[in-house]
Amino acid sequence: MQEPAITSDLISAHGLSPSEYDRILEIIGREPTFTELGIFSAMWNEHCSYKSSKKWLRTLPTEGPQVVCGPGENAGIVDIGDGQCVVFKMESHNHPSYIEPYQGAATGVGGILRDVFTMGARPIAAMNSLSFGEPAHHKTRQLVHGVVEGVGGYGNCFGVPTVGGEVRFHPAYNGNCLVNAFAAGLADTDKIFYSAASGIGMPVVYLGAKTGRDGVGGATMASAEFDDTIEDKRPTVQVGDPFTEKRLMEATLELMATGAVISIQDMGAAGLTCSAVEMGDKGGLGVKLNLEDVPQRETNMTAYEMMLSESQERMLMVLKPELEAEARAVFIKWDLDFAIVGETIAEDRFLVLHNGEVKADLPLATLSGSAPEYDRPWVETPAAEPLSDVPNIDPIDGLKALLAAPNYAGKQWVYEQYDSQVMADTVRAPGLGAGIVRVHGTDKALAFTSDVTPRYVKANPEMGGAQAVAEAYRNLTSVGATPLATTDNMNFGNPEKPEIMGQFVGAIKGIGAACIALDMPIVSGNVSLYNETDGTGILPTPTIGAVGLLKNADDLIAGTAREGHVLLMVGETGTHLGQSALLAEVFNREDGDAPNVDLAAEKLNGDFIRANAQWIDACTDLADGGLALAAFEMAEAAETGIQLDSADTAELFGEDQARYLIACSFDKAEHLMIEAGKAGVSIQTVGKFGGDQVVMGGSSAPLADLAATFRSTFAETFA
């Protein structure tokens, strides 16, 4: 087949700038073939090379005594004791999910699961963080249904419990939803598999499902803004098959036990290209591929299509040749493709042949390591204007407004479509704070959470970035878990706009400071830029996924309040209404600054909660909606009324940070107040549980009525 001539339009269509193309000419000393152009495009797009973000990502804290493996592999790895580790990562599938919601979300789940089991870990938990446009927007309902069904359809069939996550709505996501998928798995620390190839003349083996034309150019598409040609991008979305992925996982874990694996890599973004180049580069080797040996499910596929296909459920492995028969037998047993498609070579070359014809011959190390790295110009986000007066309102009216908003109403409609109990180790189902999963066969448990408040990040990127980490820390602490480490998913608009790049830089600074202060290093992550449609960007959304450890699952704080319990608040009285949920839902305003994050107070108060966990019956952190919403959610979960002492709007709905609510008996409350005094922790009684009403100051409403609104709003909006 005649390859197209390289023109300026073709270069632009591959997401390459004229200066980047000039750099390619400089590297290889000639005009690239069409396949080579595609390979450079795949390796140099934002999604694979992080060319706009690398400079700033290097500033993040990634090390600690608990860290086994930080960023750079398929997933991060953290020690949990007893020779075990937790392997986890979060990644975006934003653009594909907006174009084709079901398959985009489903393959996002599939990709993150492969990242985990490629390391030799069996997945034990999944989460997702979803951001959609305003509920009334004509596309939102279709996206919500498609994405939720895609997440559930893939995860449920694969057989991994979905234990947590978040769903938000804002007009800024009308033209570009966000789908961030998280997965965690367990492995023995001495049985981890990495992606660096080693040995010359070793077979390069293709594993899993056949290659098709779905997803060709997906990584490049994910690094571009949307416009009115969005429907043309539909073929770049991959198609997933969770049952094949389940077989691939079992076959891969069985294969690893044979000792045949030298290195292994998931075929994710940019497919065969990225996986082969990364394996060779990390091992300091070249790679030769024979594309006629690649298992194909479509006829007459070109070298370009095979190299850039993002068909799902595929892996690439470097194999010990003497164990080829054993390895092949494993994959034949699981009815999956096993094909030797090339070999490692001593020369620094990425040599791609198709039916004996050279389709690409590139310097591999340069291809991998020479992606442009930009120090994008950025401007600091201007300081927010001071918040103008917020009128005092009837507190019950304020609470009702939050409960009737899809952002703050119960999300049962979403998480009831996810299987949270498969594998039978889930201790705490979604909807009650951090998800908890037992470490099977031990006394331990792991806690998982996902957090960010984008309106804070927009108002004050540095404080908003820190707040996302702090809230994740509090969510883990609220169940008694010791926070271990984090993964980040940095969702932003076009980095070529200095104000957007400024948001990114500010958020990175805030995240880094919080991770250091709270001892939660970043061990993996993902950057998703160009989340814009027709020049309108999303809210800056640096999602933080975090993992915590309970050395004994019996130490879990997972009780509920009951009649006669005292309500204690750890932290200061609420004052901050800037960028608050109340402001948005009651007054339709988004003004003021993000709340201040005092990292020393976060650490002090978190340490106090964990040190006194045995005296706490129920606990939650204070975040969106402040004291009023947190207290209501505790009362609703316990099916008992609550009386709050204050009627002040700022005290009830302020979103000041470093705060927790505790429900416990009077005797335990006395003990906690004495211990707080010794530790220098601010603590106060703010109410009590009992009856069947929610009472705030002189205003009240039946708990049953408020609970009905809380539980029905989301389903009535979207079902």
PDB file of all heavy atoms in Angstrom, residues 51-52 55-56 373-378 501 505:
ATOM      1  N   LYS A  51       5.294  16.387  28.084  1.00  0.00           N
ATOM      2  CA  LYS A  51       6.263  17.413  27.685  1.00  0.00           C
ATOM      3  C   LYS A  51       5.979  18.788  28.306  1.00  0.00           C
ATOM      4  O   LYS A  51       6.900  19.585  28.470  1.00  0.00           O
ATOM      5  CB  LYS A  51       6.326  17.508  26.152  1.00  0.00           C
ATOM      6  CG  LYS A  51       5.027  17.859  25.448  1.00  0.00           C
ATOM      7  CD  LYS A  51       5.188  17.660  23.939  1.00  0.00           C
ATOM      8  CE  LYS A  51       3.875  17.896  23.209  1.00  0.00           C
ATOM      9  NZ  LYS A  51       3.968  17.526  21.787  1.00  0.00           N
ATOM     10  N   SER A  52       4.713  19.064  28.655  1.00  0.00           N
ATOM     11  CA  SER A  52       4.410  20.355  29.281  1.00  0.00           C
ATOM     12  C   SER A  52       4.491  20.299  30.801  1.00  0.00           C
ATOM     13  O   SER A  52       4.510  21.339  31.451  1.00  0.00           O
ATOM     14  CB  SER A  52       3.005  20.821  28.883  1.00  0.00           C
ATOM     15  OG  SER A  52       2.928  21.080  27.513  1.00  0.00           O
ATOM     16  N   LYS A  55       8.692  19.119  33.874  1.00  0.00           N
ATOM     17  CA  LYS A  55       9.496  20.036  34.705  1.00  0.00           C
ATOM     18  C   LYS A  55       8.911  20.168  36.097  1.00  0.00           C
ATOM     19  O   LYS A  55       9.631  20.179  37.098  1.00  0.00           O
ATOM     20  CB  LYS A  55       9.564  21.404  34.017  1.00  0.00           C
ATOM     21  CG  LYS A  55      10.154  22.502  34.892  1.00  0.00           C
ATOM     22  CD  LYS A  55       9.991  23.867  34.257  1.00  0.00           C
ATOM     23  CE  LYS A  55      10.166  24.947  35.329  1.00  0.00           C
ATOM     24  NZ  LYS A  55      11.374  25.705  35.212  1.00  0.00           N
ATOM     25  N   TRP A  56       7.589  20.269  36.174  1.00  0.00           N
ATOM     26  CA  TRP A  56       6.940  20.503  37.470  1.00  0.00           C
ATOM     27  C   TRP A  56       6.688  19.207  38.225  1.00  0.00           C
ATOM     28  O   TRP A  56       6.746  19.177  39.465  1.00  0.00           O
ATOM     29  CB  TRP A  56       5.654  21.299  37.257  1.00  0.00           C
ATOM     30  CG  TRP A  56       5.964  22.660  36.731  1.00  0.00           C
ATOM     31  CD1 TRP A  56       5.878  23.097  35.444  1.00  0.00           C
ATOM     32  CD2 TRP A  56       6.505  23.751  37.488  1.00  0.00           C
ATOM     33  NE1 TRP A  56       6.311  24.394  35.345  1.00  0.00           N
ATOM     34  CE2 TRP A  56       6.697  24.822  36.580  1.00  0.00           C
ATOM     35  CE3 TRP A  56       6.833  23.928  38.827  1.00  0.00           C
ATOM     36  CZ2 TRP A  56       7.208  26.056  36.993  1.00  0.00           C
ATOM     37  CZ3 TRP A  56       7.339  25.152  39.245  1.00  0.00           C
ATOM     38  CH2 TRP A  56       7.526  26.198  38.323  1.00  0.00           C
ATOM     39  N   GLU A 373      10.683  18.965  25.801  1.00  0.00           N
ATOM     40  CA  GLU A 373      10.295  19.288  27.178  1.00  0.00           C
ATOM     41  C   GLU A 373      10.135  20.789  27.248  1.00  0.00           C
ATOM     42  O   GLU A 373      11.094  21.528  27.017  1.00  0.00           O
ATOM     43  CB  GLU A 373      11.359  18.793  28.156  1.00  0.00           C
ATOM     44  CG  GLU A 373      10.935  18.933  29.595  1.00  0.00           C
ATOM     45  CD  GLU A 373      11.935  18.306  30.551  1.00  0.00           C
ATOM     46  OE1 GLU A 373      12.445  17.212  30.256  1.00  0.00           O
ATOM     47  OE2 GLU A 373      12.204  18.917  31.586  1.00  0.00           O
ATOM     48  N   TYR A 374       8.936  21.245  27.541  1.00  0.00           N
ATOM     49  CA  TYR A 374       8.648  22.675  27.491  1.00  0.00           C
ATOM     50  C   TYR A 374       8.596  23.277  28.884  1.00  0.00           C
ATOM     51  O   TYR A 374       8.064  22.672  29.816  1.00  0.00           O
ATOM     52  CB  TYR A 374       7.311  22.911  26.784  1.00  0.00           C
ATOM     53  CG  TYR A 374       7.321  22.498  25.332  1.00  0.00           C
ATOM     54  CD1 TYR A 374       6.448  21.535  24.853  1.00  0.00           C
ATOM     55  CD2 TYR A 374       8.228  23.067  24.446  1.00  0.00           C
ATOM     56  CE1 TYR A 374       6.465  21.141  23.524  1.00  0.00           C
ATOM     57  CE2 TYR A 374       8.254  22.682  23.105  1.00  0.00           C
ATOM     58  CZ  TYR A 374       7.364  21.723  22.655  1.00  0.00           C
ATOM     59  OH  TYR A 374       7.396  21.342  21.340  1.00  0.00           O
ATOM     60  N   ASP A 375       9.178  24.462  28.983  1.00  0.00           N
ATOM     61  CA  ASP A 375       8.993  25.278  30.179  1.00  0.00           C
ATOM     62  C   ASP A 375       7.953  26.320  29.784  1.00  0.00           C
ATOM     63  O   ASP A 375       8.279  27.438  29.389  1.00  0.00           O
ATOM     64  CB  ASP A 375      10.331  25.916  30.580  1.00  0.00           C
ATOM     65  CG  ASP A 375      10.233  26.659  31.901  1.00  0.00           C
ATOM     66  OD1 ASP A 375       9.130  26.676  32.489  1.00  0.00           O
ATOM     67  OD2 ASP A 375      11.250  27.222  32.332  1.00  0.00           O
ATOM     68  N   ARG A 376       6.707  25.903  29.831  1.00  0.00           N
ATOM     69  CA  ARG A 376       5.629  26.764  29.337  1.00  0.00           C
ATOM     70  C   ARG A 376       5.548  28.052  30.161  1.00  0.00           C
ATOM     71  O   ARG A 376       5.663  28.011  31.393  1.00  0.00           O
ATOM     72  CB  ARG A 376       4.288  26.041  29.449  1.00  0.00           C
ATOM     73  CG  ARG A 376       4.204  24.739  28.657  1.00  0.00           C
ATOM     74  CD  ARG A 376       3.683  24.965  27.276  1.00  0.00           C
ATOM     75  NE  ARG A 376       3.384  23.719  26.579  1.00  0.00           N
ATOM     76  CZ  ARG A 376       3.450  23.582  25.258  1.00  0.00           C
ATOM     77  NH1 ARG A 376       3.823  24.597  24.505  1.00  0.00           N
ATOM     78  NH2 ARG A 376       3.149  22.435  24.686  1.00  0.00           N
ATOM     79  N   PRO A 377       5.326  29.184  29.495  1.00  0.00           N
ATOM     80  CA  PRO A 377       5.110  30.414  30.261  1.00  0.00           C
ATOM     81  C   PRO A 377       3.851  30.282  31.124  1.00  0.00           C
ATOM     82  O   PRO A 377       2.863  29.673  30.696  1.00  0.00           O
ATOM     83  CB  PRO A 377       4.912  31.491  29.194  1.00  0.00           C
ATOM     84  CG  PRO A 377       4.967  30.829  27.873  1.00  0.00           C
ATOM     85  CD  PRO A 377       5.232  29.374  28.056  1.00  0.00           C
ATOM     86  N   TRP A 378       3.915  30.813  32.327  1.00  0.00           N
ATOM     87  CA  TRP A 378       2.744  30.734  33.202  1.00  0.00           C
ATOM     88  C   TRP A 378       2.614  32.016  34.012  1.00  0.00           C
ATOM     89  O   TRP A 378       3.580  32.717  34.252  1.00  0.00           O
ATOM     90  CB  TRP A 378       2.827  29.522  34.138  1.00  0.00           C
ATOM     91  CG  TRP A 378       4.023  29.478  35.038  1.00  0.00           C
ATOM     92  CD1 TRP A 378       5.285  29.056  34.719  1.00  0.00           C
ATOM     93  CD2 TRP A 378       4.073  29.875  36.409  1.00  0.00           C
ATOM     94  NE1 TRP A 378       6.117  29.168  35.798  1.00  0.00           N
ATOM     95  CE2 TRP A 378       5.406  29.658  36.852  1.00  0.00           C
ATOM     96  CE3 TRP A 378       3.141  30.380  37.311  1.00  0.00           C
ATOM     97  CZ2 TRP A 378       5.812  29.951  38.160  1.00  0.00           C
ATOM     98  CZ3 TRP A 378       3.529  30.666  38.608  1.00  0.00           C
ATOM     99  CH2 TRP A 378       4.851  30.444  39.025  1.00  0.00           C
ATOM    100  N   MET A 501      -1.570  27.153  32.554  1.00  0.00           N
ATOM    101  CA  MET A 501      -0.301  26.609  33.052  1.00  0.00           C
ATOM    102  C   MET A 501      -0.053  27.095  34.474  1.00  0.00           C
ATOM    103  O   MET A 501       0.484  26.353  35.314  1.00  0.00           O
ATOM    104  CB  MET A 501       0.831  27.028  32.119  1.00  0.00           C
ATOM    105  CG  MET A 501       2.100  26.212  32.291  1.00  0.00           C
ATOM    106  SD  MET A 501       1.874  24.459  31.904  1.00  0.00           S
ATOM    107  CE  MET A 501       3.111  23.720  32.969  1.00  0.00           C
ATOM    108  N   VAL A 505       0.834  24.822  37.740  1.00  0.00           N
ATOM    109  CA  VAL A 505       2.014  25.051  38.580  1.00  0.00           C
ATOM    110  C   VAL A 505       1.600  25.271  40.031  1.00  0.00           C
ATOM    111  O   VAL A 505       2.179  24.691  40.962  1.00  0.00           O
ATOM    112  CB  VAL A 505       2.823  26.256  38.050  1.00  0.00           C
ATOM    113  CG1 VAL A 505       3.926  26.653  39.030  1.00  0.00           C
ATOM    114  CG2 VAL A 505       3.420  25.935  36.686  1.00  0.00           C
TER     115      VAL A 505
END
